[in-house]
Amino acid sequence: METIILAVVIAVVVLGALGGLIVGSRRRKPLPPPPPKTPDITAPPAEPHVGDEAETPRDEPRRTIEEVDLPGGPAPVVVEEPPAAVEAPEIEIPEPTAGRLVRLRTRLSRSQNALGKGLLTLLSREHLDEETWEEIEDTLLTADVGVQPTQELVDNLRERVKVLGTRTPDELRGLLREELLKLVGTDVDRTVRTEPEDRKPGIVMVVGVNGTGKTTTTGKLARVLVADGRTVVLGAADTFRAAAADQLQTWGERVGAYTVRGPEAGDPASVAFDAVKEGKEMGVDVVLIDTAGRLHTKTGLMDELGKVKRVVEKHAPLDEVLLVLDATTGQNGLVQARVFAEVVDITGIVLTKLDGTAKGGIVVAVQRELNVPVKLVGLGEGADDLAPFEPEAFVDALIGD
């Protein structure tokens, strides 16, 4: 009996030892690797390559594919790189405005002095008979001086040549210069008013028919003001012409001027109102408002322009209303001027494309028509080809050296 009990005890001990060995060996044996986890981001389809590198949209993050070691082996994972910083447009330093028309005199005289040379040639004839004076009148009328100013100039020239006996080329040039300066006017205030004494900002509204260079003139005027140390906000209230707001914003970005714009075909008066409001909040010196410039013969469109003016004046009175005219349009430009003057109080004229015509007499005609001075002239396509109008430099360009 004792033998049987001893055998059972030994068997139990042996079985326990064998069980411990088996469990220990199982713990030491490495577990099989888990199945590879499927990546959450899949690689994008192949893109067309230019050279050795695919193009990446400027505003999208750049993606590269890298291999990451996983227990089941390397697997591709898409890694997004931060988008490249978009560089702000470089701010330009506009050309100073002082004496700008004098510096552009050569360009102006190339096309304008046909008038002056024609008059001097006629006045230098040995006998100034009636036929010659009629030719002088025709020359002035062809140059768009206008009927009444032409008559005044001819009468004064006839009297002075007869009384003074002026005959030499230098004397005739001096005489003609004096009479032309009288017509153009040297005692008129041609300052673009942008500095009201009691408030900020100054408010300038730019009006005119499409095609006269109105939006471009607004952008160039911003450059003139920035060159003189002023800060500017632009209001893109020409919402009816495609890309007008983009064009104006581009002009503003080049000199660091902020542009307020609205939706295409939106309410121009709302944009103008917001531009003045933004200008006041930013504390800028001047707000320039570019208005719609569709055909002046459509009454509804002119009513829209009047609405813009009334809405802007809820903030403050307009300091300047500049009418942009194309110098090449002659008498048609005067018709435009009359219509715009009936809707808004024009305070100054901007003549564009004055370098592309020999009809410089429009300066005299439009001033007589509106009793408003020419304050700025455009003399080319360059960014700094808008100049303050200077009568002496203009007349010198007309008659040549």
Side-chain angles (χ1 to χ4, degrees):
M1 187 65 182
E2 293 179 356
T3 304
I4 294 172
I5 293 173
L6 182 60
V8 172
V9 172
I10 293 172
V12 171
V13 173
V14 170
L15 289 174
L18 289 174
L21 290 173
I22 291 172
V23 172
S25 89
R26 283 182 177 175
R27 288 178 179 173
R28 288 190 298 270
K29 186 175 180 180
L31 296 173
K37 189 176 181 180
T38 304
D40 293 331
I41 304 174
T42 58
E47 298 181 3
H49 288 260
V50 179
D52 295 325
E53 185 176 358
E55 292 185 357
T56 303
R58 188 170 65 176
D59 297 332
E60 294 293 330
R62 185 176 181 84
R63 296 180 176 181
T64 59
I65 299 177
E66 298 181 358
E67 289 189 350
V68 178
D69 290 331
L70 295 176
V77 175
V78 175
V79 179
E80 292 190 356
E81 298 178 2
V86 179
E87 293 185 3
E90 183 177 352
I91 303 299
E92 299 179 8
I93 301 176
E95 179 182 350
T97 58
R100 188 180 286 190
L101 183 59
V102 175
R103 293 194 298 275
L104 298 175
R105 176 181 163 188
T106 301
R107 181 184 303 168
L108 180 63
S109 64
R110 279 200 297 267
S111 57
Q112 298 295 328
N113 62 14
L115 169 62
K117 286 183 177 179
L119 291 175
L120 287 173
T121 299
L122 291 171
L123 289 170
S124 298
R125 288 181 179 177
E126 186 175 352
H127 299 288
L128 294 177
D129 52 19
E130 287 300 321
E131 182 178 349
T132 300
W133 287 112
E134 287 180 4
E135 289 184 52
I136 291 173
E137 285 187 7
D138 290 341
T139 300
L140 291 167
L141 291 173
T142 302
D144 287 332
V145 172
V147 176
Q148 184 177 350
T150 292
Q151 191 61 54
E152 290 179 14
L153 179 59
V154 170
D155 288 346
N156 289 340
L157 285 174
R158 292 183 73 160
E159 181 68 23
R160 295 189 66 176
V161 168
K162 179 180 179 180
V163 173
L164 301 177
T166 304
R167 304 301 298 164
T168 68
D170 288 342
E171 289 173 333
L172 288 172
R173 181 177 286 105
L175 180 61
L176 183 59
R177 185 179 188 275
E178 289 178 17
E179 294 301 327
L180 285 173
L181 280 174
K182 287 181 183 179
L183 285 182
V184 173
T186 58
D187 56 351
V188 180
D189 182 10
R190 301 182 187 274
T191 305
V192 178
R193 296 192 297 271
T194 58
E195 300 182 73
E197 295 180 359
D198 56 342
R199 58 178 167 81
K200 270 190 176 184
I203 307 172
V204 178
M205 189 164 75
V206 184
V207 302
V209 175
N210 280 347
T212 58
K214 176 176 52 60
T215 299
T216 298
T217 296
T218 306
K220 289 183 178 181
L221 179 55
R223 294 181 65 89
V224 170
L225 294 170
V226 170
D228 290 339
R230 319 296 300 286
T231 53
V232 178
V233 161
L234 298 171
D238 185 357
T239 60
F240 297 98
R241 184 168 62 87
D246 291 339
Q247 181 184 0
L248 189 64
Q249 184 168 349
T250 299
W251 278 103
E253 288 175 347
R254 291 169 67 178
V255 293
Y258 179 67
T259 302
V260 175
R261 53 189 297 176
E264 187 173 346
D267 182 15
S270 176
V271 175
F273 183 88
D274 290 343
V276 178
K277 178 182 177 183
E278 195 75 25
K280 291 173 70 174
E281 292 176 353
M282 295 174 63
V284 301
D285 297 312
V286 187
V287 174
L288 299 179
I289 302 171
D290 176 34
T291 60
R294 298 150 303 170
L295 291 177
H296 63 284
T297 54
K298 298 182 180 179
T299 305
L301 305 181
M302 300 307 293
D303 290 342
E304 184 75 47
L305 186 61
K307 177 185 174 184
V308 172
K309 178 179 182 292
R310 291 191 301 273
V311 168
V312 168
E313 289 182 332
K314 291 182 179 180
H315 281 297
L318 285 167
D319 298 289
E320 196 82 64
V321 179
L322 297 176
L323 173 63
V324 180
L325 294 177
D326 182 339
T328 65
T329 59
Q331 293 301 310
N332 187 47
L334 296 183
V335 174
Q336 296 171 11
R338 294 188 197 106
V339 176
F340 278 98
E342 292 173 1
V343 180
V344 290
D345 297 324
I346 305 298
T347 59
I349 307 295
V350 182
L351 279 177
T352 63
K353 306 178 187 179
L354 196 60
D355 62 324
T357 174
K359 298 185 176 183
I362 189 66
V363 170
V364 176
V366 72
Q367 290 186 147
R368 287 293 184 94
E369 180 67 33
L370 298 182
N371 194 27
V372 170
V374 172
K375 294 190 173 184
L376 298 165
V377 290
L379 299 171
E381 300 298 327
D384 292 314
D385 287 342
L386 184 70
F389 182 72
E390 300 171 14
E392 291 83 359
F394 175 73
V395 170
D396 288 341
L398 280 181
I399 63 178
D401 296 325

